Amino acid sequence: MEQTKALNALEESADLVTRATSAPNTFLFSDLLQTPAIQNLAGSEFSSHLKVLQIFSHGTYSSYKTTEGLPALEEVQATKLRQLSLLSLVRDRQNLSYSALQEALDLPGAREVEALVISAVYAGLLHATLDPARAVVQVTSVAPLRDLAPGAIPDLADALKKWSDRCKTTLDDLDLQIKEIRTTAAARQREQRLADEKLQQLINEQQEGMGRKYDLPNMTRDLGRRGFNKRSVMDTGNLVDNDSMDVDEAEEEKKRANKRKL
């Protein structure tokens, strides 16, 4: 009697596996795998159903084909397993060609590959477009609807650590570049300030040497833009000399006018 109950329980668990793997909107199986009723299938005559559920959880269609002694899949099960396998395959760009997907998913041709991708898109498993001209699938996003395989967490943690280290290195490089830019900008500002002060000092000395003050705001701004050099100094001297010549010419003209009156 007890043996019959146990056998019936195993049959019900095996049937539950079949129904779960056939359900159109069920893509995660880790919770079901952890239930005692399903774990009891191990070592029984229905252990192959447990293996099938494990493949649906984190395996691929190729692993199903290469594992002996598994029950045959119904068409709806085969389609779902191919869709789930597609989620794993498209994470590697090398698997995005029609030929690679056709081989990995055991499909007869390119048309079937396109039909499977379209069905996965409509099922909300991924966002992708077909490129028949180049015979590739262009994937933009993948839904997180695959269970982690046993032992995958350490590998995942290692991959995340490497990614974190790369991000840290990049941020450190950016900080160093920002510091260098700020240092260079500060040095340029100091040089510009010193040049402006030296230019102003030169202008003041020339004004004091001539014994008069000149209003040279425009000249100062112009020289400040061009920078302090030999030519700018000569231009400043020329401006002062030209002003002196204008004064001398005015005095000579006044003397000639007085002589004519006499």
Side-chain angles (χ1 to χ4, degrees):
M1 187 68 175
E2 294 295 332
Q3 188 175 6
T4 302
K5 288 183 178 180
L7 181 60
N8 290 338
L10 291 175
E11 289 179 349
E12 291 177 359
S13 297
D15 181 64
L16 179 59
V17 169
T18 301
R19 287 186 284 114
T21 54
S22 301
N25 296 320
T26 303
F27 299 102
L28 296 173
F29 306 95
S30 58
D31 291 341
L32 181 60
L33 270 172
Q34 295 173 4
T35 59
I38 298 299
Q39 289 298 317
N40 289 336
L41 293 174
S44 70
E45 59 182 297
F46 298 100
S47 60
S48 59
H49 286 74
L50 175 60
K51 185 62 179 178
V52 167
L53 185 60
Q54 291 172 342
I55 292 175
F56 269 80
S57 176
H58 47 75
T60 63
Y61 194 84
S62 296
S63 59
Y64 168 78
K65 295 291 291 185
T66 56
T67 303
E68 298 180 355
L70 298 181
L73 298 179
E74 298 179 2
E75 183 177 354
V76 63
Q77 289 176 298
T79 299
K80 175 183 282 191
L81 183 55
R82 286 189 172 103
Q83 290 174 338
L84 291 171
S85 301
L86 183 63
L87 293 183
S88 300
L89 292 171
V90 298
R91 298 180 188 276
D92 187 348
R93 290 183 177 274
Q94 296 181 353
N95 296 326
L96 294 180
S97 65
Y98 281 20
S99 58
L101 292 174
Q102 180 180 341
E103 180 180 358
L105 300 174
D106 193 24
L107 293 171
R111 186 180 297 274
E112 287 74 16
V113 171
E114 293 178 344
L116 181 68
V117 172
I118 292 172
S119 69
V121 170
Y122 277 103
L125 299 178
L126 52 81
H127 289 87
T129 56
L130 300 172
D131 188 351
R134 295 190 301 160
V136 296
V137 179
Q138 297 179 345
V139 179
T140 55
S141 65
V142 179
L145 293 176
R146 292 241 69 184
D147 298 321
L148 290 175
I153 292 181
D155 293 337
L156 180 61
D158 183 61
L160 290 174
K161 185 179 183 304
K162 291 180 179 178
W163 173 79
S164 177
D165 292 341
R166 288 196 300 269
C167 290
K168 184 178 183 303
T169 301
T170 302
L171 291 175
D172 291 341
D173 292 341
L174 289 175
D175 288 339
L176 181 60
Q177 293 179 18
I178 291 173
K179 290 180 180 178
E180 291 177 352
I181 292 172
R182 288 177 176 173
T183 301
T184 302
R188 288 179 179 175
Q189 289 178 354
R190 287 194 299 270
E191 292 176 358
Q192 183 64 43
R193 185 173 63 255
L194 292 174
D196 292 342
E197 292 175 355
K198 192 170 184 179
L199 176 62
Q200 186 62 46
Q201 181 182 0
L202 178 61
I203 293 173
N204 293 338
E205 290 176 354
Q206 288 185 345
Q207 290 177 348
E208 292 174 358
M210 295 301 298
R212 58 186 298 179
K213 298 293 184 180
Y214 293 92
D215 185 13
L216 302 173
N218 294 329
M219 181 183 70
T220 303
R221 285 195 296 269
D222 182 61
L223 290 177
R225 287 194 297 269
R226 291 184 296 172
F228 179 74
N229 52 45
K230 183 177 180 181
R231 184 173 180 180
S232 64
V233 174
M234 293 177 63
D235 291 342
T236 304
N238 290 336
L239 287 173
V240 177
D241 292 342
N242 290 338
D243 189 52
S244 300
M245 291 175 63
D246 292 340
V247 173
D248 294 340
E249 290 177 358
E251 292 178 353
E252 290 294 332
E253 184 64 28
K254 185 176 181 181
K255 290 179 180 180
R256 285 195 294 270
N258 291 334
K259 289 181 180 180
R260 284 196 295 270
K261 290 180 180 180
L262 294 175

